[in-house]
Amino acid sequence: MSDHTLWQDERAIEGLPIRLVIALVVGVACLGVMLSVVGGFSSLGQTELSTRPTPDLVEEGNHTVNVTVVDTDGEPIEAATVIARGDTARLDSLARAETNANGVAQLTVDASLRPNQAEGKIELSIQPPQGEYVDKQENTGILVIER
């Protein structure tokens, strides 16, 4: 094939647009994966906190619940704020308390269920103390059952 006929051949451009689209899609997907990996490095020095409510099962009504906040090694965390809010169970208002030196926050909750509801859940969240702590994962909640 001579150089003259190669320049006049228009078939080479037929597959070019689809190849560009495929390259763009693959490139964007790779960029997204790389950014999520790089974004994960910022949490390397952070410790996830979780809750351990006692009791974790209550009947409807007014109850005092002790919630222990622990790190990934099970060590108690002082000066964290625990917030209880209604999820599938209802609370009259938010309950919040700060953990003591033993990592325990004492909350008073007045839980109720909707009509024809046998059980519900109270959601617990943590506002970590200053430092390397985070609360990004779902915590153990409190199960509320019918009387």
Side-chain angles (χ1 to χ4, degrees):
M1 188 178 259
S2 71
D3 288 337
H4 183 67
T5 58
L6 183 60
W7 291 105
Q8 292 176 345
D9 187 5
E10 294 181 11
R11 290 177 294 158
I13 200 158
E14 288 176 5
L16 184 62
I18 192 66
R19 289 183 184 140
L20 288 175
V21 169
I22 292 171
L24 180 66
V25 168
V26 169
V28 168
C30 290
L31 181 62
V33 169
M34 289 186 335
L35 286 176
S36 69
V37 168
V38 171
F41 287 128
S42 66
S43 65
L44 284 180
Q46 297 177 332
T47 303
E48 178 68 29
L49 299 180
S50 61
T51 57
R52 292 183 182 165
T54 306
D56 59 356
L57 174 77
V58 296
E59 290 183 343
E60 291 180 277
N62 199 1
H63 298 278
T64 300
V65 179
N66 291 323
V67 179
T68 306
V69 175
V70 295
D71 63 11
T72 52
D73 297 326
E75 295 297 318
I77 303 298
E78 183 179 4
T81 303
V82 178
I83 301 169
R85 64 176 53 94
D87 189 359
T88 52
R90 293 189 291 186
L91 291 180
D92 287 342
S93 63
L94 290 178
R96 61 186 301 152
E98 190 169 302
T99 57
N100 59 20
N102 298 324
V104 178
Q106 193 172 62
L107 300 170
T108 301
V109 294
D110 188 9
S112 61
L113 298 172
R114 291 170 180 80
N116 299 321
Q117 185 180 5
E119 64 182 39
K121 183 180 173 188
I122 297 173
E123 176 188 339
L124 297 174
S125 60
I126 306 167
Q127 290 180 340
Q130 295 296 324
E132 70 277 359
Y133 302 111
V134 295
D135 181 33
K136 293 185 178 178
Q137 297 178 358
E138 185 176 355
N139 296 306
T140 303
I142 301 168
L143 184 63
V144 180
I145 59 173
E146 194 175 32
R147 284 187 193 202

